[in-house]
Short mmCIF file of all heavy atoms in Angstrom, two decimals:
data_model
loop_
_atom_site.label_atom_id
_atom_site.label_comp_id
_atom_site.label_asym_id
_atom_site.label_seq_id
_atom_site.Cartn_x
_atom_site.Cartn_y
_atom_site.Cartn_z
N VAL A 52 20.19 -72.63 -98.61
CA VAL A 52 19.45 -71.85 -97.79
C VAL A 52 20.24 -70.87 -96.87
O VAL A 52 19.97 -69.70 -96.87
CB VAL A 52 18.61 -72.78 -96.81
CG1 VAL A 52 17.71 -71.89 -95.91
CG2 VAL A 52 17.75 -73.71 -97.60
N PHE A 53 21.30 -71.34 -96.32
CA PHE A 53 22.17 -70.48 -95.57
C PHE A 53 22.96 -69.52 -96.35
O PHE A 53 22.97 -68.35 -95.97
CB PHE A 53 23.08 -71.36 -94.76
CG PHE A 53 22.58 -72.17 -93.56
CD1 PHE A 53 22.25 -73.46 -93.71
CD2 PHE A 53 22.26 -71.52 -92.41
CE1 PHE A 53 21.69 -74.24 -92.67
CE2 PHE A 53 21.59 -72.20 -91.37
CZ PHE A 53 21.32 -73.56 -91.54
N LEU A 54 23.39 -69.91 -97.58
CA LEU A 54 23.99 -69.04 -98.49
C LEU A 54 23.03 -67.84 -98.82
O LEU A 54 23.49 -66.72 -98.99
CB LEU A 54 24.51 -69.72 -99.69
CG LEU A 54 25.93 -70.38 -99.65
CD1 LEU A 54 26.15 -71.18 -100.95
CD2 LEU A 54 27.03 -69.37 -99.47
N SER A 55 21.87 -68.17 -99.06
CA SER A 55 20.90 -67.21 -99.48
C SER A 55 20.78 -66.20 -98.34
O SER A 55 20.72 -64.88 -98.68
CB SER A 55 19.52 -67.78 -99.67
OG SER A 55 19.53 -68.90 -100.47
N HIS A 56 20.76 -66.55 -97.13
CA HIS A 56 20.73 -65.62 -95.99
C HIS A 56 21.90 -64.67 -96.01
O HIS A 56 21.79 -63.48 -95.67
CB HIS A 56 20.61 -66.41 -94.64
CG HIS A 56 19.24 -66.75 -94.30
ND1 HIS A 56 18.27 -65.88 -93.85
CD2 HIS A 56 18.52 -67.86 -94.35
CE1 HIS A 56 17.14 -66.49 -93.71
NE2 HIS A 56 17.39 -67.80 -93.89
N HIS A 57 23.01 -65.26 -96.32
CA HIS A 57 24.24 -64.33 -96.30
C HIS A 57 24.42 -63.46 -97.51
O HIS A 57 25.04 -62.47 -97.45
CB HIS A 57 25.47 -65.27 -96.13
CG HIS A 57 25.69 -65.79 -94.72
ND1 HIS A 57 26.12 -64.92 -93.67
CD2 HIS A 57 25.41 -67.02 -94.10
CE1 HIS A 57 26.22 -65.69 -92.60
NE2 HIS A 57 25.75 -66.86 -92.77
N LEU A 58 23.85 -63.92 -98.59
CA LEU A 58 24.08 -63.14 -99.85
C LEU A 58 22.89 -62.25 -100.30
O LEU A 58 23.14 -61.36 -101.14
CB LEU A 58 24.37 -64.15 -101.00
CG LEU A 58 25.69 -64.90 -100.75
CD1 LEU A 58 25.88 -66.00 -101.92
CD2 LEU A 58 26.88 -63.91 -100.74
N THR A 59 21.73 -62.59 -99.80
CA THR A 59 20.54 -61.80 -100.27
C THR A 59 19.89 -61.06 -99.09
O THR A 59 20.14 -61.44 -98.00
CB THR A 59 19.40 -62.69 -100.85
OG1 THR A 59 18.88 -63.46 -100.00
CG2 THR A 59 20.07 -63.52 -102.01
N SER A 60 19.11 -60.01 -99.41
CA SER A 60 18.61 -59.17 -98.31
C SER A 60 17.29 -59.84 -97.77
O SER A 60 17.02 -59.57 -96.58
CB SER A 60 18.37 -57.83 -98.78
OG SER A 60 17.50 -57.76 -99.86
N ASP A 61 16.51 -60.45 -98.51
CA ASP A 61 15.24 -60.91 -98.00
C ASP A 61 14.91 -62.29 -98.43
O ASP A 61 14.24 -62.50 -99.47
CB ASP A 61 14.09 -59.96 -98.36
CG ASP A 61 12.81 -60.32 -97.82
OD1 ASP A 61 12.81 -61.20 -96.79
OD2 ASP A 61 11.73 -59.83 -98.13
N VAL A 62 15.34 -63.17 -97.57
CA VAL A 62 15.19 -64.69 -97.93
C VAL A 62 13.73 -65.11 -97.58
O VAL A 62 13.41 -66.24 -97.92
CB VAL A 62 16.25 -65.53 -97.21
CG1 VAL A 62 15.85 -65.85 -95.86
CG2 VAL A 62 16.50 -66.76 -97.98
N SER A 63 12.90 -64.22 -97.04
CA SER A 63 11.53 -64.70 -96.89
C SER A 63 10.68 -64.66 -98.16
O SER A 63 9.71 -65.37 -98.29
CB SER A 63 10.80 -63.77 -95.85
OG SER A 63 10.65 -62.47 -96.40
N GLU A 64 11.30 -64.11 -99.17
CA GLU A 64 10.76 -64.26 -100.59
C GLU A 64 11.26 -65.54 -101.16
O GLU A 64 12.44 -65.80 -101.21
CB GLU A 64 11.24 -63.10 -101.47
CG GLU A 64 10.69 -61.71 -101.08
CD GLU A 64 9.31 -61.57 -101.15
OE1 GLU A 64 8.83 -62.06 -102.17
OE2 GLU A 64 8.63 -60.95 -100.29
N PRO A 65 10.33 -66.40 -101.47
CA PRO A 65 10.74 -67.71 -101.94
C PRO A 65 11.73 -67.72 -103.01
O PRO A 65 12.64 -68.58 -103.08
CB PRO A 65 9.37 -68.41 -102.44
CG PRO A 65 8.35 -67.57 -101.76
CD PRO A 65 8.85 -66.30 -101.50
N ASP A 66 11.61 -66.70 -103.98
CA ASP A 66 12.58 -66.70 -105.14
C ASP A 66 13.97 -66.38 -104.79
O ASP A 66 14.88 -66.65 -105.58
CB ASP A 66 11.99 -65.63 -106.12
CG ASP A 66 10.79 -66.07 -106.79
OD1 ASP A 66 10.37 -67.18 -106.58
OD2 ASP A 66 10.06 -65.23 -107.40
#
Side-chain angles (χ1 to χ4, degrees):
Chain A
V52 178
F53 289 100
L54 272 174
S55 307
H56 276 286
H57 283 285
L58 294 175
T59 68
S60 61
D61 185 8
V62 83
S63 66
E64 295 295 318
D66 291 348

